[in-house]
Amino acid sequence: MSSTPLQGRTAVVTGAGAGLGRAEALALASAGANVVVNDMGPAAEDVVAEIKELGVGAVAVLGDGSDWTMGDRLVSAAVDNFGSLDVVVNNAGITRDTMLFNLTEAQWDDVIAVHLKGHAAVSRAAAVHWRNASKAAGAPVYGRLVNTSSEAFLFGSAGQPNYSAAKAGITALTLSSAQGLSRYGVTANAICPRARTEMTANVFDSDPSGAELDILAPERVATFVSWLASPASAEVNGQVFVVYGDMVALMAPPTVEHKFTAADGVFSVEELDSQVGTYFSGRSPYANFAAYSVAELDTTGVQNLNK
């Protein structure tokens, strides 16, 4: 594959003023893409300057991703400035960590708005563009949608009920997008990254390896995102990946563990107790729908607090 597989393409990256979003924007630019850099503050302009030094185009669009109109603004910025929209990386996010019994309405609304509504707003606007472009061309177009979920949705982090719920919603949104947009040439996939950024500053211990590239450097995740954005990933759709360190792990879909069937076609409470209740008698509290086994992937040697 060419070292610039995205030459002539245009990407939108949200939350790209720092951290993982910045690394993703730079990785896409290094692969040849023009980039629309979205963030709340002036740091987006700094990233634009970095991208232009790589010899490709970039423009900043400042604003809150949870504003439903932001999706249309970002799509318009891509098309008006560079003539196309080919890649969307939804990355913007915040945390408002708390236990469920301390959760306020504002903490819930803020996290759901930035993560889930923000993903939906940009994805919807991009979907409208790609669908219209495909109909105009009479053929599939090039489209890559990369959404940012989290292991929090796999574990159900105790101190992050809002964040975990938002990330579960993003995963479902990704699957729906993959189903609905594939006919137009668009793929949609979700990543669950770990990266050392400002948002995770108090989560991880320092890198014990002493390697030049931190084991949790956001650039490691960004490399995979740039690959997902490339032509090489055309057959990858509706997938969820855990990404950090030296690995990319493809998650399997949920499976049916056990099926309970009523003997006479309709369950009674007594029969449910005898079948379902007996099945769970003495079961480990950790043997539930949470994917605790994913934690066994971690070989970084860096403490993780389920962010």
Side-chain angles (χ1 to χ4, degrees), residues 32-306:
N34 302 308
V35 185
V36 177
V37 178
N38 165 248
D39 213 305
M40 288 283 288
E45 299 285 3
D46 298 333
V47 177
V48 165
E50 289 186 87
I51 290 172
K52 288 181 175 179
E53 290 179 0
L54 297 174
V56 295
V59 63
V61 176
L62 306 187
D64 185 351
S66 66
D67 181 343
W68 193 256
T69 65
M70 180 55 70
D72 293 321
R73 288 180 59 197
L74 293 173
V75 171
S76 294
V79 175
D80 294 347
N81 285 278
F82 307 114
S84 70
L85 172 67
D86 306 286
V87 178
V88 169
V89 179
N90 282 310
N91 166 76
I94 61 171
T95 54
R96 298 288 186 269
D97 294 355
T98 183
M99 299 295 287
L100 181 59
F101 40 76
N102 291 324
L103 179 66
T104 67
E105 183 177 8
Q107 290 171 322
W108 173 267
D109 288 347
D110 288 349
V111 170
I112 295 298
V114 174
H115 285 278
L116 185 52
K117 184 180 178 183
H119 271 65
V122 181
S123 297
R124 181 211 63 85
V128 170
H129 170 79
W130 283 323
R131 179 174 180 265
N132 289 341
S134 177
K135 287 191 170 185
V141 295
Y142 188 101
R144 299 286 188 270
L145 178 60
V146 182
N147 289 334
T148 306
S149 185
S150 169
E151 289 171 273
F153 108 86
L154 294 167
F155 298 146
S157 299
Q160 297 179 306
N162 44 7
Y163 185 78
S164 298
K167 292 305 188 181
I170 286 168
T171 304
L173 174 65
T174 304
L175 298 179
S176 179
S177 301
Q179 292 282 351
L181 299 180
S182 61
R183 72 189 70 180
Y184 305 115
V186 180
T187 65
N189 296 285
I191 61 168
C192 301
R194 292 190 201 178
R196 197 185 306 280
T197 67
E198 183 177 342
M199 196 169 84
T200 61
N202 299 317
V203 176
F204 303 113
D205 290 338
S206 59
D207 182 3
S209 71
E212 183 176 345
L213 186 64
D214 191 319
I215 194 66
L216 291 177
E219 289 79 8
R220 295 176 181 269
V221 178
T223 299
F224 181 62
V225 169
S226 68
W227 182 84
L228 277 180
S230 75
S233 69
E235 295 184 288
V236 183
N237 191 34
Q239 305 296 339
V240 177
F241 299 92
V242 176
V243 188
Y244 61 87
D246 61 356
M247 62 118 214
V248 173
L250 172 63
M251 298 304 299
T255 60
V256 176
E257 178 182 331
H258 189 83
K259 180 181 178 181
F260 304 95
T261 305
D264 297 324
V266 178
F267 271 115
S268 66
V269 172
E270 292 76 17
E271 188 180 8
L272 285 169
D273 187 52
S274 66
Q275 285 202 49
V276 184
T278 301
Y279 185 83
F280 283 95
S281 179
R283 188 181 178 101
S284 166
Y286 294 102
N288 57 29
F289 198 75
Y292 293 109
S293 61
V294 174
E296 297 173 4
L297 293 169
D298 189 1
T299 59
T300 63
V302 176
Q303 181 182 7
N304 176 262
L305 300 178
N306 290 338

